Amino acid sequence: MSTSTEEYLEALYNLTRESEPASTSAISKRLNITPASVTEMMHKLANERYVNYSPYQGVTLTPKGYRIAEKMTRKHRLLERFLHDVLKIGNDRVHKEACEMEHALSDETARAMCQALKSPDSCPDDGQLIPACDLGFSSCEECRKWGQDNPEKISKRKSSVVSMSDLKENQEGLISFIRGDNNVLRRLLDLGLTPDTKIKVSRVSSLKGPVEIACRGSRLALGDEIARNVFVEKVTS
């Protein structure tokens, strides 16, 4: 896949986070590319089934395009953390540096980087959430125990996951992945929140307040720090 294609898909990932189609003008502005060039590329990506494109109605990612876009976004934000936390590069430079490096970063190296950084959950400059990996682990602890041997034998997650903090009121999800160390896992276990547990969001607070959920017949309030690191498969009724 070309670097240009990856950049377009990554831009669309960020522009359509609220499930709203992205306009060609918004894509043009974000990538600093002429609207005519954007339109031409959208037709190409639609033919390759990476996006759904309808003139005057905007662009959305297909599941195929979303998986690639999310992986590129994850690599970009991991690189930002590495550049900032390890190499001590300033916030004014990490974004540009990560943009240039993300396309060459292999999946295996991204996984090793994530482990070395102790599974970071956000960017250093703007605090945006780092997406979960697409590996078939239920927790970061399980990934660490696997080690770096036989990476080709690691299965991939079959369905896309979203952070619990991204769910809206009355949306339901099935817990698929928990990010964090053993302390996080033990706390969630004590609350009955384990992989394959079904939850329903009852109330979402503003300004990164607690998320209230219904789970196993009980109501729980989870702080944003916890909720953003519990990833679920959306359940559609």
Side-chain angles (χ1 to χ4, degrees):
M1 177 178 291
S2 70
T3 296
S4 176
T5 296
E6 290 176 343
E7 288 178 348
Y8 270 99
L9 295 178
E10 188 177 354
L12 282 166
Y13 177 88
N14 288 288
L15 288 169
T16 60
R17 290 296 292 147
E18 299 299 326
S19 300
E20 294 292 334
S23 65
T24 53
S25 61
I27 302 168
S28 171
K29 182 178 179 181
R30 188 175 187 92
L31 294 176
N32 194 26
I33 295 173
T34 65
S37 296
V38 171
T39 298
E40 181 181 353
M41 188 62 164
M42 290 306 103
H43 283 294
K44 177 183 177 182
L45 294 180
N47 289 336
E48 295 173 351
R49 300 182 180 179
Y50 291 121
V51 304
N52 299 308
Y53 172 58
S54 178
Y56 310 110
Q57 294 184 16
V59 189
T60 58
L61 290 164
T62 64
K64 176 184 176 181
Y66 185 90
R67 285 192 296 272
I68 296 170
E70 186 173 55
K71 178 177 287 189
M72 294 309 302
T73 301
R74 172 177 168 79
K75 288 180 177 181
H76 178 99
R77 295 178 183 174
L78 279 174
L79 279 164
E80 286 191 343
R81 282 253 70 111
F82 177 78
L83 292 166
H84 179 273
D85 297 356
V86 179
L87 302 186
K88 308 303 179 183
I89 293 176
N91 284 343
D92 59 330
R93 294 172 53 200
V94 294
H95 177 73
K96 181 179 179 181
E97 295 285 348
C99 283
E100 295 177 357
M101 298 170 66
E102 64 191 45
H103 306 286
L105 188 69
S106 70
D107 293 351
E108 292 77 14
T109 302
R111 177 171 173 250
M113 184 178 293
C114 181
Q115 290 185 352
L117 294 170
K118 298 183 178 179
S119 308
D121 65 1
S122 61
C123 294
D125 55 341
D126 54 15
Q128 290 192 84
L129 185 74
I130 297 175
C133 69
D134 63 354
L135 302 178
F137 297 113
S138 62
S139 68
C140 292
E141 287 299 307
E142 185 180 344
C143 179
R144 292 188 188 99
K145 290 178 181 177
W146 184 279
Q148 295 297 328
D149 296 332
N150 301 318
E152 68 279 356
K153 293 185 178 181
I154 300 175
S155 62
K156 297 295 181 69
R157 192 176 292 117
K158 294 180 180 179
S159 303
S160 295
V161 296
V162 298
S163 169
M164 188 187 293
S165 62
D166 285 339
L167 294 180
K168 295 178 172 57
E169 290 183 3
N170 297 317
Q171 282 192 319
E172 296 179 320
L174 195 67
I175 295 176
S176 177
F177 176 72
I178 296 171
R179 178 160 56 196
D181 58 20
N182 266 326
N183 292 329
V184 175
L185 288 174
R186 282 196 295 268
R187 180 178 177 185
L188 291 173
L189 180 62
D190 290 342
L191 294 173
L193 299 175
T194 57
D196 296 325
T197 300
K198 187 176 181 180
I199 62 95
K200 181 177 181 178
V201 174
S202 305
R203 182 172 178 272
V204 178
S205 302
S206 58
L207 299 176
K208 296 186 177 181
V211 177
E212 296 181 13
I213 65 170
C215 171
R216 301 182 188 273
S218 301
R219 289 188 177 275
L220 303 171
L222 301 179
D224 181 69
E225 186 71 22
I226 293 293
R228 68 191 278 121
N229 286 305
V230 178
F231 292 85
V232 303
E233 297 177 26
K234 287 184 180 180
V235 176
T236 56
S237 55

